[in-house]
Amino acid sequence: MTIAHTIQKIALFQGIDPKTIEKMAAHCHQKTFAKGKELFAAGDQADAFFVIIEGWVKLFRISKEGEEAVIHVFGPGESFAEAAVFNERRMYPVNAQAVEKVTLIGIPRSFLIHKIEEDSQFALNMLASIASRQHYLVQQLEQISTRTAPQRMGAFLLQFCKKQTGKDGIMSVELPYDKSLISTRLNIKPETFSRALGKLEPHGIEHKGHSIIINDMYKLADFCDISFKDTPC
Amino acid sequence: MTIAHTIQKIALFQGIDPKTIEKMAAHCHQKTFAKGKELFAAGDQADAFFVIIEGWVKLFRISKEGEEAVIHVFGPGESFAEAAVFNERRMYPVNAQAVEKVTLIGIPRSFLIHKIEEDSQFALNMLASIASRQHYLVQQLEQISTRTAPQRMGAFLLQFCKKQTGKDGIMSVELPYDKSLISTRLNIKPETFSRALGKLEPHGIEHKGHSIIINDMYKLADFCDISFKDTPC
DNA sequence: GCTCCCCCTTGATCCAAATCAATTAGGACT
DNA sequence: AGTCCTAATTGATTTGGATCAAGGGGGAGC
């Protein structure tokens, strides 16, 4: 699969003509990082943003005491660090680490600036993309400040669920990565995560290993106080 | 004071030539809201973003149980809701309310889109502005997830402090709005706020009413685990 | 199949902050 | 100055989640 083929699919580049995509691909570089490897650190110069082909990447900040605050976890087809490229200080504000072996494409800043200067539609795409990332952060902030651990768990499950054929409102979810990572992402400890899953049972959640069944997504969504405007499932 | 005079000063419009600013001012409308009045609600169509001339505005989301999550509080000279204008859904993701009587300028979406299309420098300014807002949200997320109430208090004070003449490292802060609002902004209850101020005393903080003295900002910053890269004071 | 290691679960205890409850302090108004 | 009313403090109690501690389970490698 070519670089051009990959990047043309992401939302950011919708409505950009194929020729431009080809040209852009020539400026990009593909890289692979082993599990646990650091992609960049907070404070590094932001020369590029990234599109994930395969694997998962964790963005986080770390306190003096060594405590991690996970800002986001990105997977295949998603892009990240767009905003850092346009920030005045031109530095990544977070650390990025490969959760497992990850393959991604780096799109250099210089190319983006150039493209924005010559194509206003592209500039608008870029703005829309960053705006929606910001919306995500706002939701995250709301979740962490007003929801309990089980509610955040439920909201997470609803984000990752896929509709099951047949029955109405019944879903199944395959947890995309380790439970311990999900817990830091939700700002809870692994022990609390386990217990939170238990507390969701009365709300129609069954779990066995990494696969989870939601018997009634509307009931769950109600418990989690989720508006479906936020999470088109 | 004219509209043009106000908006030319904000970071977003730096490097834009005065004639353009004048033209833009003609498209803007100035409005005043009384204390407690709603500027817009989450889900409203985002037709404009705003620059505050006078007063304070609270952005927040609200849960089913009625609990508020304050995302940000903006004051004179600051702009807000830029990102909403560029989001695909074109809706405000938060509620906005006047904390006290507020005067502001609304800059219509249509004008922005037009301006971005014809001036790429403006597009880059817009991107930088939204990127730095995003950086703020990331910091906020980190603070709420890894810091204690007194640490968040201290960080807040450092953001608002002004250097006092004479002594080194000594600062004074005038609290910009009600303590109860500061507490919701820091995601703590008013009772905890009071007690947190007390807990900061051993770290060189004195307080009387709305004015607070920081005897050693470096000591405080150390306690709060703040890097001065984040808050150029 | 067996072993080892890491992840996960379950239980007991602890703690920071929320909640509940009661005063006290400050402003705005007459 | 005195009256209200709201904001702020202070104390007592509760609680959600963290921490400490001890098993269990599943997958990779042999």
Side-chain angles (χ1 to χ4, degrees):
Chain A
M1 190 149 82
T2 65
I3 291 180
H5 192 74
T6 304
I7 61 180
Q8 66 146 50
K9 283 188 302 188
I10 69 173
L12 197 53
F13 299 130
Q14 291 314 306
I16 306 298
D17 80 284
K19 257 187 216 160
T20 309
I21 299 276
E22 287 286 354
K23 244 197 316 188
M24 177 165 18
H27 291 270
C28 298
H29 47 280
Q30 182 170 333
K31 267 190 176 176
T32 296
F33 292 86
K35 176 175 176 169
K37 282 278 179 294
E38 176 183 278
L39 312 202
F40 55 75
D44 283 2
Q45 200 177 321
D47 293 323
F49 83 97
F50 303 94
V51 180
I52 299 180
I53 298 175
E54 195 56 56
W56 293 88
V57 169
K58 171 175 78 171
L59 300 192
F60 63 102
R61 283 168 68 103
I62 204 152
S63 75
K64 227 173 23 186
E65 286 83 25
E67 193 168 8
E68 268 186 19
V70 173
I71 307 298
H72 208 145
V73 178
F74 292 100
E78 292 184 298
S79 58
F80 62 93
E82 301 95 333
V85 161
F86 296 103
N87 203 321
E88 226 159 47
R89 310 137 125 281
R90 207 183 298 181
M91 296 186 333
Y92 298 113
V94 295
N95 304 87
Q97 188 190 34
V99 166
E100 48 183 66
K101 187 184 170 194
V102 68
T103 307
L104 41 74
I105 294 167
I107 298 169
R109 177 190 144 85
S110 54
F111 182 83
L112 286 177
I113 303 285
H114 172 72
K115 191 79 194 100
I116 283 167
E117 279 166 354
E118 73 169 27
D119 181 353
S120 66
Q121 182 55 48
F122 181 77
L124 287 171
N125 280 11
M126 206 75 221
L127 280 161
S129 176
I130 293 181
S132 93
R133 182 64 32 85
Q134 188 165 318
H135 188 168
Y136 164 84
L137 289 170
V138 165
Q139 279 180 240
Q140 201 68 5
L141 209 42
E142 183 199 9
Q143 293 255 339
I144 288 188
S145 43
T146 65
R147 308 292 152 90
T148 65
Q151 284 178 317
R152 277 176 272 158
M153 272 269 358
F156 178 84
L157 294 178
L158 287 171
Q159 273 167 24
F160 273 91
C161 64
K162 286 169 191 145
K163 210 152 220 157
Q164 203 74 330
T165 52
K167 311 273 180 161
D168 192 61
I170 297 188
M171 304 267 191
S172 83
V173 199
E174 268 314 298
L175 297 184
Y177 35 78
D178 282 358
K179 291 184 182 179
S180 55
L181 178 56
I182 301 177
S183 23
T184 46
R185 187 187 179 309
L186 297 174
N187 197 36
I188 56 184
K189 299 292 157 191
E191 295 93 328
T192 309
F193 180 96
S194 275
R195 295 188 243 263
L197 257 183
K199 285 184 188 167
L200 285 179
E201 268 170 27
H203 301 276
I205 300 319
E206 294 163 38
H207 62 106
K208 190 183 183 87
H210 273 208
S211 63
I212 286 169
I213 292 168
I214 302 171
N215 283 312
D216 185 346
M217 55 170 286
Y218 302 105
K219 193 174 157 192
L220 180 62
D222 186 58
F223 168 70
C224 302
D225 190 11
I226 293 238
S227 63
F228 278 99
K229 283 180 297 180
D230 283 345
T231 55
C233 197
Chain B
M1 189 151 81
T2 65
I3 291 181
H5 191 72
T6 304
I7 62 179
Q8 67 144 49
K9 283 188 301 186
I10 70 172
L12 196 53
F13 300 128
Q14 291 313 306
I16 306 296
D17 80 284
K19 256 186 215 160
T20 310
I21 298 276
E22 286 287 354
K23 244 198 314 189
M24 178 164 17
H27 288 87
C28 297
H29 48 278
Q30 181 170 332
K31 268 190 175 176
T32 297
F33 292 85
K35 174 174 178 171
K37 282 277 180 293
E38 176 182 275
L39 313 201
F40 55 76
D44 284 2
Q45 199 177 323
D47 293 324
F49 84 97
F50 304 93
V51 180
I52 299 180
I53 298 175
E54 194 57 56
W56 294 88
V57 170
K58 171 175 78 170
L59 300 192
F60 63 102
R61 284 168 66 104
I62 204 151
S63 74
K64 227 174 22 187
E65 287 82 28
E67 193 168 8
E68 268 186 19
V70 173
I71 306 299
H72 208 144
V73 178
F74 292 100
E78 292 184 297
S79 58
F80 61 95
E82 303 95 332
V85 161
F86 296 102
N87 202 321
E88 227 161 46
R89 312 136 122 284
R90 207 183 297 180
M91 296 186 333
Y92 298 112
V94 296
N95 304 85
Q97 189 190 34
V99 165
E100 49 184 67
K101 186 184 172 194
V102 67
T103 307
L104 41 73
I105 293 167
I107 298 169
R109 177 189 143 86
S110 54
F111 182 83
L112 286 178
I113 302 284
H114 173 73
K115 191 79 193 102
I116 282 168
E117 278 166 356
E118 72 168 30
D119 181 354
S120 67
Q121 182 55 48
F122 182 78
L124 288 171
N125 279 10
M126 207 76 220
L127 279 161
S129 176
I130 293 181
S132 93
R133 184 64 31 84
Q134 188 165 319
H135 188 167
Y136 164 83
L137 288 170
V138 165
Q139 278 180 239
Q140 201 68 7
L141 208 41
E142 182 200 9
Q143 293 253 340
I144 287 188
S145 41
T146 67
R147 307 294 152 88
T148 65
Q151 283 178 319
R152 277 176 273 157
M153 271 267 1
F156 178 84
L157 293 178
L158 287 171
Q159 273 167 23
F160 273 91
C161 64
K162 286 170 191 144
K163 209 153 219 155
Q164 204 74 330
T165 52
K167 311 272 178 161
D168 191 60
I170 297 187
M171 305 268 190
S172 82
V173 198
E174 269 312 300
L175 297 185
Y177 35 79
D178 282 358
K179 291 185 182 179
S180 56
L181 178 56
I182 300 177
S183 25
T184 48
R185 187 187 179 306
L186 298 174
N187 196 36
I188 56 185
K189 298 293 156 191
E191 294 94 327
T192 309
F193 180 96
S194 274
R195 294 189 244 263
L197 257 183
K199 285 185 186 166
L200 285 179
E201 267 169 29
H203 300 275
I205 300 320
E206 293 164 39
H207 62 106
K208 189 184 184 88
H210 273 209
S211 63
I212 286 170
I213 292 167
I214 302 172
N215 283 312
D216 185 346
M217 55 168 287
Y218 303 105
K219 192 174 158 193
L220 180 61
D222 185 57
F223 167 71
C224 301
D225 190 12
I226 292 236
S227 63
F228 277 100
K229 283 179 300 181
D230 283 346
T231 54
C233 198

